[in-house]
Amino acid sequence: GESVGLHLPTLSVQEGDNSIINCAYSNSASDYFIWYKQESGKGPQFIIDIRSNMDKRQGQRVTVLLNKTVKHLSLQIAATQPGDSAVYFCAENRAGGTSYGKLTFGQGTILTVHP
Amino acid sequence: GAVVSQHPSRVICKSGTSVKIECRSLDFQATTMFWYRQFPKQSLMLMATSNEGSKATYEQGVEKDKFLINHASLTLSTLTVTSAHPEDSSFYICSAIIAGIPNQPQHFGDGTRLSIL
């Protein structure tokens, strides 16, 4: 849904620490989830995705965890670097219907990495 | 691969002007493209889904006569903001998906910053 008037959650970490960004989704019919990174003035950049038949997926320095029981998604970034500073969005895709490829975006989290 | 180009990156124009934004998939065919609007420090709000060769599907509350969408080829969709007013000032972002592949991420352009004076 819309987040008009709300401030984005923020997460501040020190360089080298691990970061965990959380996302709650509402639609139990969603079967595909994506994490995006958005830097200031740019479009969202794909980080990692996961299908609902999995509960964990790893990439380079990133891990996505999916808990379908509580409808929760998290993004873990290992050894966070200043270049990781950005807004992170989760997105979900609902299975079937007429909304092929359509994504619903979460509120977003601002990650700030301090040197 | 899967590069989406959006043009222009920034537009400043007077109230009442119509503005056209282009979204191109550079290295793949995109039967479906999406148009979003984003206000500062907020999430992306889907405006419409653009399908090649057919009418766009607009989200609730989005005026189709205000935001004209044309998707005439498999690599190009355009969004025209007609008779733009200051309240239309925003960051407009397009995305595209590769034809025929299920469960794939949307590939985004770098957005267009629209400022109406």
Side-chain angles (χ1 to χ4, degrees):
Chain A
E2 295 185 15
S3 59
V4 175
L6 297 177
H7 295 289
L8 295 181
T10 60
L11 175 65
S12 292
V13 299
Q14 290 296 125
E15 182 178 1
D17 287 351
N18 296 332
S19 301
I20 299 176
I21 301 171
N22 297 302
C23 177
Y25 65 94
S26 57
N27 196 330
S28 57
S30 294
D31 66 344
Y32 177 59
F33 304 86
I34 310 167
W35 279 101
Y36 285 97
K37 172 186 180 183
Q38 186 179 26
E39 297 176 329
S40 180
K42 294 187 176 181
Q45 176 186 0
F46 170 82
I47 301 174
I48 192 168
D49 58 2
I50 188 168
R51 291 174 175 73
S52 59
N53 61 351
M54 304 172 68
D55 54 20
K56 180 179 179 179
R57 190 164 188 225
Q58 288 183 292
Q60 186 177 14
R61 283 202 306 119
V62 295
T63 301
V64 55
L65 299 177
L66 175 62
N67 186 329
K68 295 181 287 294
T69 302
V70 294
K71 290 186 282 191
H72 183 268
L73 192 69
S74 69
L75 176 70
Q76 300 177 2
I77 305 174
T80 316
Q81 303 167 359
D84 295 327
S85 295
V87 181
Y88 289 80
F89 293 99
C90 65
E92 59 183 298
N93 175 241
R94 181 176 176 181
T98 58
S99 57
Y100 181 78
K102 182 175 172 180
L103 296 176
T104 300
F105 279 80
Q107 187 181 9
T109 297
I110 301 172
L111 174 65
T112 302
V113 183
H114 301 283
Chain B
V3 177
V4 174
S5 175
Q6 195 170 334
H7 179 79
S9 59
R10 177 150 193 145
V11 180
I12 303 173
C13 57
K14 294 181 179 179
S15 184
T17 307
S18 291
V19 178
K20 179 185 283 188
I21 303 169
E22 295 186 345
C23 182
R24 295 181 184 272
S25 55
L26 297 186
D27 52 359
F28 64 99
Q29 292 186 333
T31 51
T32 303
M33 292 184 174
F34 302 88
W35 287 97
Y36 295 84
R37 184 172 181 176
Q38 186 178 35
F39 291 106
K41 298 194 183 300
Q42 293 190 18
S43 188
L44 284 75
M45 293 172 49
L46 180 65
M47 299 174 66
T49 302
S50 169
N51 296 296
E52 186 268 335
S54 64
K55 291 182 179 180
T57 302
Y58 290 82
E59 295 299 301
Q60 190 174 6
V62 178
E63 300 176 56
K64 61 180 182 180
D65 295 329
K66 174 75 173 177
F67 300 100
L68 300 178
I69 291 172
N70 185 286
H71 193 159
S73 79
L74 286 172
T75 59
L76 175 63
S77 175
T78 61
L79 168 68
T80 301
V81 183
T82 61
S83 187
H85 293 286
E87 59 266 27
D88 298 321
S89 298
S90 191
F91 192 51
Y92 292 86
I93 314 173
C94 73
S95 69
I97 54 176
I98 302 171
I101 299 179
N103 282 346
Q104 59 170 300
Q106 290 178 15
H107 305 281
F108 285 85
D110 267 342
T112 297
R113 175 76 57 194
L114 176 61
S115 300
I116 308 298
L117 305 178

